[in-house]
């Protein structure tokens, strides 16, 4: 039970304390890849600690069922007097029921998350199929929608596609178009849609926990910046900024254009443009990399280290000094 209690305590700390720290570390977007890793590591470690903690608790309760006195003594020691007097068997049964209910709840959450991922995949495939039906072949094998609105986005699938409107082709010069296409190819090459689908599925499944909706929002923002960096490494940053600003300029009724998972206008155009045009000192970049690396590594390794240390010290709930 010591291990389970410590894992749940870590869970609470990571869910409450980690988000504001990560928000501060990733605000500038200096290292978007590490920022995505830190946010996803936090979400994964919190979710993964639940079944491990409940499983350990249930295993200890079942193993100690015939020796409830020792179980109660160990739990008294671990929980500081929560279980007292002659309530040993009753409390043990209650804890076992709680463990079963918790496992059931985790199963429901897992099913809802899988369903959210399935729906996201179905919507993506439907969107890609629709784009191929109404689109026409364009430059470099991309699909062109006959619409005056300005928009360009990628759709994952087999094969994946980049969709461009005729309004976009009219608004961008060749260099700007090449930069925008490089941005969208970076999304596809990095399989960003999978990360976004997972974080959004957790956010829709657990909207009451602020960590998951915030992680989904921050991961989406940082993925746009990561794609910006990939495009800017091949094309001038000001070229990409010019393209983003041109696409952000409304042209008629923008509501007619579908809203995809990854649009070149996602993540806040103004913030992204300022980031691309602002020089970054090596010292500031090094500090950001160090902070994010430490956060990501700590959040990934902390639960494993905690389980290893606690199991080595107290392998059974009932183990305590006599």
């Amino acid at each position: 039970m010591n291990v389970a209690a410590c894992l749940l305590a870590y869970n609470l700390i990571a869910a409450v304390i980690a988000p504001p720290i990560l928000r501060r570390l990733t605000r500038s977007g200096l290292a978007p890849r590490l920022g995505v890793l830190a946010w996803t590591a936090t979400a994964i470690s919190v979710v993964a600690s639940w079944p491990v903690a409940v499983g350990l608790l249930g295993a200890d309760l079942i193993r100690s069922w015939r020796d409830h006195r020792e179980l109660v003594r160990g739990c008294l020691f671990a929980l500081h007097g929560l279980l007292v007097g002659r309530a040993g068997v009753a409390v043990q049964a209650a804890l076992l029921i709680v463990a079963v209910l918790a496992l059931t709840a985790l199963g429901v959450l897992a099913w809802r998350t899988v369903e959210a991922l399935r729906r996201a995949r179905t919507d993506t495939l439907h969107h890609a199929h629709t784009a191929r039906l109404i689109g026409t072949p364009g430059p470099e094998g991309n699909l062109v929608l006959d619409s005056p609105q300005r928009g360009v986005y990628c759709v994952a699938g087999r094969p994946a596609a980049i969709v461009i409107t005729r309004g976009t082709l009219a608004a961008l010069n060749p260099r700007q178009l090449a930069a925008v296409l490089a941005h969208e190819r970076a999304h596809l090459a990095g399989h960003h849609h999978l990360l976004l689908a997972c974080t959004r599925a957790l956010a829709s499944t657990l909207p009451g926990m602020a960590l998951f909706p915030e992680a989904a929002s921050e991961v989406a923002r940082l993925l746009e910046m990561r794609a910006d960096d990939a495009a800017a490494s091949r094309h001038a940053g000001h070229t990409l900024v010019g393209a983003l600003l041109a696409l952000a300029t409304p042209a008629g009724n923008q509501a007619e254009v579908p809203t995809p998972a990854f649009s070149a206008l996602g993540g806040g155009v103004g913030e992204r443009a300022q980031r691309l045009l602002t020089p970054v000192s090596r010292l500031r970049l090094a500090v950001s990399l160090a902070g994010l690396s430490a956060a990501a590594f700590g959040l990934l390794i902390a639960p494993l280290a905690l389980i290893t240390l606690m199991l080595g010290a107290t392998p059974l709930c009932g183990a305590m000094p006599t």
Side-chain angles (χ1 to χ4, degrees):
M1 185 172 292
N2 290 335
V3 183
C6 288
L7 276 177
L8 292 176
Y10 163 80
N11 185 296
L12 179 63
I13 292 173
V16 175
I17 296 179
I21 295 175
L22 292 178
R23 197 183 312 122
R24 183 178 182 84
L25 288 173
T26 60
R27 182 183 303 164
S28 63
L30 292 180
R33 179 183 291 179
L34 273 177
V36 170
L37 176 61
W39 278 106
T40 53
T42 304
I44 290 172
S45 64
V46 168
V47 172
S49 66
W50 295 342
V52 174
V54 174
L56 289 172
L57 175 61
D60 282 347
L61 288 168
I62 293 173
R63 282 201 306 266
S64 304
W65 185 256
R66 295 183 179 179
D67 191 9
H68 62 270
R69 293 180 180 177
E70 186 64 20
L71 173 73
V72 174
R73 292 180 65 217
C75 291
L76 279 168
F77 177 75
L79 302 178
H80 303 286
L82 179 62
L83 314 179
V84 295
R86 299 179 179 180
V89 175
V91 173
Q92 185 182 14
L95 287 174
L96 186 59
I97 293 173
V98 169
V100 172
L101 291 176
L103 283 174
T104 303
L106 288 174
V108 172
L109 289 176
W111 178 80
R112 290 180 60 186
T113 302
V114 171
E115 275 296 297
L117 288 171
R118 186 191 64 79
R119 287 194 302 270
R121 175 176 172 78
T122 300
D123 291 344
T124 298
L125 293 177
H126 176 71
H127 195 120
H129 179 69
T130 303
R132 292 188 184 94
L133 285 177
I134 64 177
T136 57
E140 302 183 35
N142 302 303
L143 295 174
V144 178
L145 296 183
D146 189 12
S147 170
Q149 316 311 321
R150 298 174 185 177
V152 53
Y153 56 91
C154 61
V155 180
R158 295 183 179 179
I162 297 177
V163 181
I164 314 169
T165 64
R166 294 204 179 275
T168 297
L169 295 177
L172 303 182
N173 62 42
R175 291 183 180 180
Q176 291 173 336
L177 179 61
V180 169
L181 292 177
H183 172 98
E184 299 303 327
R185 290 194 195 96
H187 281 314
L188 294 173
H191 302 287
H192 292 174
H193 61 284
L194 298 178
L195 287 172
L196 190 60
C198 290
T199 54
R200 285 182 173 175
L202 288 175
S204 64
T205 303
L206 297 163
M209 293 188 66
L211 166 65
F212 299 109
E214 186 167 1
S217 175
E218 288 297 307
V219 166
R221 183 179 69 91
L222 292 168
L223 287 177
E224 291 296 339
M225 294 181 176
R226 172 59 188 160
D228 285 343
D229 289 345
S233 67
R234 302 183 59 183
H235 306 273
H238 64 83
T239 300
L240 179 59
V241 169
L244 294 176
L245 294 178
L247 291 175
T249 303
N253 183 13
Q254 290 287 353
E256 295 179 3
V257 179
T259 303
F262 282 110
S263 168
L265 298 180
V269 173
E271 179 187 14
R272 290 164 54 195
Q274 182 178 9
R275 173 180 174 272
L276 287 169
L277 297 177
T278 302
V280 179
S281 67
R282 292 185 178 180
L283 176 61
R284 187 184 175 196
L285 180 59
V287 170
S288 181
L289 289 172
L292 283 172
S293 298
F297 180 78
L299 289 165
L300 282 172
I301 205 67
L304 298 177
L306 180 62
I307 293 173
T308 301
L309 291 174
M310 293 301 295
L311 286 178
T314 55
L316 185 63
C317 170
M320 62 168 287
T322 56

